[in-house]
Each structure stands twice: as structure tokens, then as C-alpha cells.
Amino acid sequence: MSLVCTLSPSPKPSSSQLLAEQVGAEFEKLGAEVETVRVADHDVRPGAELDMGDGDAWPARREKVMAADILLPATPIWLGHPDARFSLAPGAVTYWVGEAQQGTDYQDLDNTPEAVATTTHTLAVNAHHLAGQLRRTPYPPY
């Protein structure tokens, strides 16, 4: 499952959405089913509770997150690294920051740079492998 945490709702273009779609395509090549949820498209309420009430859309999204073998949090790079108590496979990152001192957004590129395509493929292969291992032999409860 891809959880796209861009700050902009659809249909506004998003580099985080594009990268999540590209990783999803790599997962599909490996036989994995992929669902992408763009959080900004849902009425997810701020707060630290599982359900913030009053129409909060998070509980339904959370059920999907908890049921997923693989969770891909796609965030703008400046948001930092979220800590969601999930295992990250080696090389489980893909990104594009562009050339130094340039303002080109990833989604505005005509072609995916080879380095991004390679890291996107590596992310999908390693995460798919780890998910299979954990499905067969889960971590013990703590």
C-alpha cells in the first residue's frame, strides 16, 4: 500500500504521488497488488487518537495500512523520515532532489533519470522480498 503524504489534494500534480506510482509499478511486476491512497484527498483529522471523530477518514485508511504486507509512505523529502514501527528493507528509499541550485520538480522531467529508476526498482524488490519473509516468519510479539 502506498500512503502518499503530499500536502496537495488531487488533481494537483505531486512528485510524491508520481514516485509512489512508479514504485507501485515495480511491485506489480513482482506480482504484488498495490493500492495508493493520497491522504490529502480524504478528511483525515489531525491528532494522536486512532479516531478523531466527527467524520475522521483515518480509521478506514488505518485498517488498510494495518492489513498491508508492505507500506510505502511517500512524503516530500523535507518532511523527514516518519517512524511508524515498520521494518524497512535495505535500500528501501527512492528520491530525486535534482541538480544543485536548480528548481526543476521531479514531475516536470520528461524522463525518469536512470539513477531514480534503479533505486525505485531496488526498493520494490527488497521490500517485496522482506514482506514475503515476514509473512512466512513474522516477528515475535513484544
Side-chain angles (χ1 to χ4, degrees), residues 36 71 86 93 96 104-105 117-118 120 139:
T36 299
L71 175 66
F86 285 88
V93 62
W96 184 82
T104 304
D105 196 343
T118 299
T120 297
Y139 288 123

Side-chain angles (χ1 to χ4, degrees), residues 1-3 32-35 37 58-72 84-86 131-132 134-135:
M1 164 175 220
S2 297
L3 196 62
E33 293 180 20
V34 178
E35 178 180 1
V37 173
W58 176 245
R61 308 293 85 76
R62 183 180 183 279
E63 284 181 28
K64 292 181 178 189
V65 166
M66 299 309 291
D69 288 333
I70 298 171
L71 175 66
L72 172 68
R85 288 203 258 168
F86 285 88
L134 290 173
R135 192 178 312 109

Side-chain angles (χ1 to χ4, degrees), residues 40-131:
D41 290 345
H42 302 277
D43 187 13
V44 174
R45 304 292 168 91
E49 302 296 324
L50 296 180
D51 187 341
M52 295 307 293
D54 195 28
D56 186 8
W58 176 245
R61 308 293 85 76
R62 183 180 183 279
E63 284 181 28
K64 292 181 178 189
V65 166
M66 299 309 291
D69 288 333
I70 298 171
L71 175 66
L72 172 68
T75 67
I77 196 165
W78 52 268
L79 286 180
H81 182 74
D83 179 5
R85 288 203 258 168
F86 285 88
S87 294
L88 296 177
V93 62
T94 190
Y95 63 95
W96 184 82
V97 293
E99 297 178 25
Q101 307 296 322
Q102 301 298 314
T104 304
D105 196 343
Y106 180 71
Q107 64 191 352
D108 296 330
L109 298 175
D110 292 329
N111 297 301
T112 300
E114 184 58 35
V116 175
T118 299
T119 57
T120 297
H121 175 77
T122 299
L123 180 161
V125 169
N126 288 354
H128 187 264
H129 174 76
L130 178 60

